[in-house]
């Protein structure tokens, strides 16, 4: 499941060696943490030599940045795609929460690494990630505000509701494991309903 | 703020050297991750020699276990205390969510270390933490079920609602920083209202 999700996340990356290194880095960071992981260990997981790694990435930090960039871009794309098919505020909120929940459940390992290790990025790297995060938050806030204006939502505290719904879907990466839990799609549908109930 | 919160968490621990080591370990684990942190670095932060550390804790893993045990015990106590003063289902749900939110905001650093590094515990250590986690989840689930039986709550999917409310409060430790955010108490009150809206 995890591997499948990760394959989706890297599938546009070529050559295959870069793809293998990203997948290896996510696994290593998830198991040992970013700071305890060596580029040697990542290269070994990908079946390559340390020198082979440096052909594709200049540093461990470059790998983390690329993982964070791909992840933030992918979840934004997933949410924007799902929003295209929804018209009314409750359907749009359900679409946002469903898409983000499904993404975080499918890509739990990568999502966990991205959220937990974000502070290991340097300033310049984080400056490229920040606007993607801001766009995600803004997208959700706007949907809640639109629902309030139309009278569909009764919620008063838009900031609290926005944070609450972000937590609902992002925290999935912390606790979700495929075994013993509903599928990402079922969880996403249930969370979409929970979100609408929260706002109406 | 963080330091204050942490002081609360360790305040019952004596001697002072044990207390200082726990605070130092939380800071080091939060900055570098559990696996990249050495007992030498923890001892240095606490102003002690590595040998001095071993007088109080046998290993790095013992420190993580003690942090996890104290944290899980403290958040359970905070929630149970807040529930005592609330009678009706909406007030009880608001009390649970408020107490857990305030705790996770005040103890953000310790809570983050506990949630992110839990898998570093060995089997026997985790066996002592598991019942505390189960009690926390069960407490919330029971409150939701009681509200459904009384007709106060309309929510259908109790499992999804339980997970959603747990995420709401636990994820606070990931994103909350005192600067630029409402106080833990204000956030807790807002999240209590959000939670009640979700269930009714």
């Amino acid at each position: 499941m995890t591997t499948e999700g990760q394959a989706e996340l890297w599938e546009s990356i070529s050559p295959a060696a870069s793809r293998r290194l990203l997948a290896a880095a996510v696994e290593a960071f998830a198991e040992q943490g970013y700071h305890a992981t060596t580029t040697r260990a990542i290269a070994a997981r990908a079946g390559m030599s340390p020198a082979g790694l440096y052909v594709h990435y200049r540093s461990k930090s470059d790998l983390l940045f690329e993982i964070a960039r791909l992840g933030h871009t992918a979840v934004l794309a997933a949410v924007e795609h799902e929003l295209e098919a929804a018209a009314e505020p409750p359907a749009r909120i359900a679409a946002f929460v469903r898409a983000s929940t499904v993404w975080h459940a499918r890509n739990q390992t990568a999502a966990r690494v991205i959220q937990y290790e974000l502070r290991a990025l340097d300033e310049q790297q984080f400056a490229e990630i920040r606007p993607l995060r801001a766009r995600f938050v803004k997208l959700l806030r706007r949907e809640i505000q639109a629902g309030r204006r139309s009278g569909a939502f009764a919620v008063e505290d838009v900031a609290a509701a926005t944070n609450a719904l972000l937590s609902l879907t992002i925290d999935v990466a912390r606790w979700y494991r495929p075994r013993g839990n509903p599928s990402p799609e079922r969880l996403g549908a249930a969370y979409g309903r929970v979100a609408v109930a929260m706002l109406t």
Side-chain angles (χ1 to χ4, degrees), chain A:
Chain A
M1 197 90 214
T2 302
T3 316
E4 265 175 46
Q6 284 175 14
E8 283 175 30
L9 193 51
W10 326 125
E11 69 186 356
S12 66
I13 303 296
S14 74
S18 298
R19 217 158 49 228
R20 282 212 314 277
L21 285 165
L22 289 170
V26 161
E27 283 171 26
F29 295 157
E31 276 176 30
Q32 294 285 310
Y34 175 80
H35 293 288
T37 300
T38 60
T39 49
R40 179 176 291 274
I42 296 170
R45 265 179 203 262
M48 289 165 66
S49 70
L53 182 148
Y54 291 114
V55 172
H56 303 277
Y57 298 96
R58 275 173 310 173
S59 63
K60 187 171 75 162
S61 152
D62 263 23
L63 276 158
L64 180 63
F65 170 70
E66 188 60 9
I67 291 161
R69 196 186 61 77
L70 285 167
H72 281 87
T73 307
V75 70
L76 252 174
V79 163
E80 285 172 346
H81 176 77
E82 196 89 354
L83 278 173
E84 280 170 21
E88 298 307 312
R92 290 181 68 81
I93 284 294
F96 184 106
V97 168
R98 187 171 60 239
S100 178
T101 300
V102 168
W103 192 87
H104 283 91
R106 274 200 204 137
N107 299 280
Q108 1 135 354
T109 312
R112 221 157 49 234
V113 164
I114 294 167
Q115 296 291 351
Y116 294 6
E117 307 288 6
L118 208 57
R119 275 175 289 183
L121 294 178
D122 67 33
E123 230 171 286
Q124 202 187 330
Q125 289 170 326
F126 189 66
E128 291 195 47
I129 301 298
R130 192 186 289 114
L132 300 171
R133 293 176 77 81
R135 198 165 125 203
F136 194 69
V137 177
K138 201 170 164 184
L139 204 57
L140 177 59
R141 194 191 304 124
R142 273 191 187 164
E143 295 298 333
I144 297 175
Q145 284 166 334
R148 279 187 78 201
R149 274 196 305 275
S150 79
F153 298 155
V155 64
E156 276 175 36
D157 190 337
V158 173
T162 305
N163 278 337
L165 292 185
L166 290 172
S167 284
L168 181 69
T169 72
I170 292 172
D171 194 54
V172 165
R174 181 186 57 82
W175 66 264
Y176 186 83
R177 299 295 177 274
R179 247 180 94 172
N181 282 305
S183 68
E185 291 71 23
R186 279 197 60 176
L187 183 70
Y191 271 20
R193 287 188 292 269
V194 157
V196 171
M198 200 183 93
L199 300 175
T200 48

